[in-house]
Amino acid sequence: MQLGKRAFQKFLKRRFWEGSRILLTSVGVAGCVVLLRCGGLLQVWEWMALDQFFRSRPLEAVDERLLIVGINEADLRKAKQWPISDAMMAQLLQKIQASDPQAIGLDLYRDLAVEPGHGELLNVYRTLPNLVGVKQIKDKNNAGVSAPPVLNQRHQIGFNNLVFDADGRVRRSLLYWTLNDGSVYESFALKLALIYLQNKGITPQSAPANPEYLQLGKGVFPPFAANDGAYIQADDGGYQILGNLRGPAKTFPTVSMMDVLEGRVPPEMVRDRIVLIGSTADSFKGFFLYRLQ
């Protein structure tokens, strides 16, 4: 009887130590993972996993609400200069406006006059309330580029600064940026979207769940925080959101500048859309590593 009791006690001790080792091993491994993640050492792998999840999504259909007017290499050869003259830019804007778009986004820096035609272009700026120009706000990485003064005075500008992750990719978007002097700027993309949505009866609201959140229609945009998702102690300055970038397929209709100037773009391709004007020429285009590339 005593022998059986001792054997049972040994069995319990052995099971206890075995269970303790498993528990200690599990806690140790979990603790190491938590420490590695808190230190940001797993962040790059988590970004890679996030990228792969987005690549695995079905490609979205072509979005007919936007039209891209790209200035390509053939356009540059015909224009015979870069930047294109203010006279040609004025003509391009007038041609687009004649087809009644909801908004026009000029995604080109035009802070300096490019003669001939500067006076003509200034007059066009003053007659297009749905035109949005672009500026780059000075930050730690960029010296900044001013917007066209006339559009700046009319509050028809948006910034196009980007937020880069440590691996050089862009996964976040800036909606608002507040400077040290208290002035608040809207991003180029947001400015255009607000014009488009306003014509649909949708205006910016504070979300009922949190008055600091932007709400547009039924969509609520919680601001990005430093430790959201795969991020650890990221810079969450301004009003950032995680991007929902589209795949590598062409998902927006695109025409060339000369297509517009020479009348090859039917009005229905422009009417009621957001029209973006920018360079698509390989010799001038800036390349960034977006999430789905």
Side-chain angles (χ1 to χ4, degrees), residues 108-150:
L108 295 168
Y109 295 127
R110 302 290 297 195
D111 55 323
L112 301 175
V114 184
E115 297 290 1
H118 185 59
E120 181 184 353
L121 180 58
L122 294 181
N123 289 332
V124 171
Y125 284 161
R126 296 186 183 101
T127 60
L128 297 183
N130 59 340
L131 173 65
V132 178
V134 71
K135 72 174 293 180
Q136 187 182 76
I137 297 175
K138 181 180 179 180
D139 59 23
K140 61 183 179 181
N141 298 316
N142 302 291
V145 181
S146 299
V150 172

Side-chain angles (χ1 to χ4, degrees), residues 30 35 46 58 91 161 172 221 260 283:
L35 289 174
E46 291 187 73
Q91 185 183 1
N161 297 65
R172 291 171 282 162
F221 300 86
V260 176
S283 54

